[in-house]
């Protein structure tokens, strides 16, 4: 099986400011979702790392992005 780890530091700060290290010119939210949705194989587990709530916006934008990645991973594992 395959274990997937998503590091939200890979995202451009326009999509995720609540991370430990900014990556200007990083991936978009849609880029990562497309990769997740096109994964093949037996996904047995996964995680989402490097979310930093101390740097997130007041509306917790990055938390929402991370939660959507967790939901997508769970959906892939349930198939």
């Amino acid at each position: 099986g395959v274990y997937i780890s998503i590091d939200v530091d890979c995202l451009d700060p326009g999509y995720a400011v609540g991370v430990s290290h900014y990556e200007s010119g990083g991936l978009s939210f849609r880029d990562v979702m497309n990769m997740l949705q096109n994964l093949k194989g037996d996904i047995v587990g996964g995680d989402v790392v490097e979310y930093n709530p101390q740097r997130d916006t007041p509306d917790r934008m990055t938390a929402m992005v991370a939660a959507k990645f967790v939901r997508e991973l769970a959906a892939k594992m349930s198939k």
Side-chain angles (χ1 to χ4, degrees):
V2 178
Y3 186 93
I4 304 297
S5 184
I6 301 169
D7 186 335
V8 290
D9 282 349
C10 74
L11 295 170
D12 185 86
Y15 299 97
V17 296
V19 297
S20 298
H21 300 91
Y22 298 127
E23 184 61 44
S24 296
L27 298 171
S28 72
F29 171 78
R30 180 54 37 208
D31 291 335
V32 177
M33 285 298 281
N34 284 338
M35 285 186 244
L36 285 172
Q37 292 169 346
N38 290 310
L39 286 173
K40 305 285 189 249
D42 183 23
I43 300 169
V44 297
D47 60 20
V48 176
V49 298
E50 295 294 329
Y51 168 62
N52 185 342
Q54 294 175 335
R55 293 183 118 181
D56 208 353
T57 59
D59 65 353
R60 301 291 185 223
M61 178 181 74
T62 309
M64 296 298 282
V65 167
K68 287 182 179 187
F69 291 155
V70 170
R71 182 187 66 197
E72 191 63 30
L73 276 172
K76 293 294 284 187
M77 288 188 298
S78 69
K79 290 183 180 182

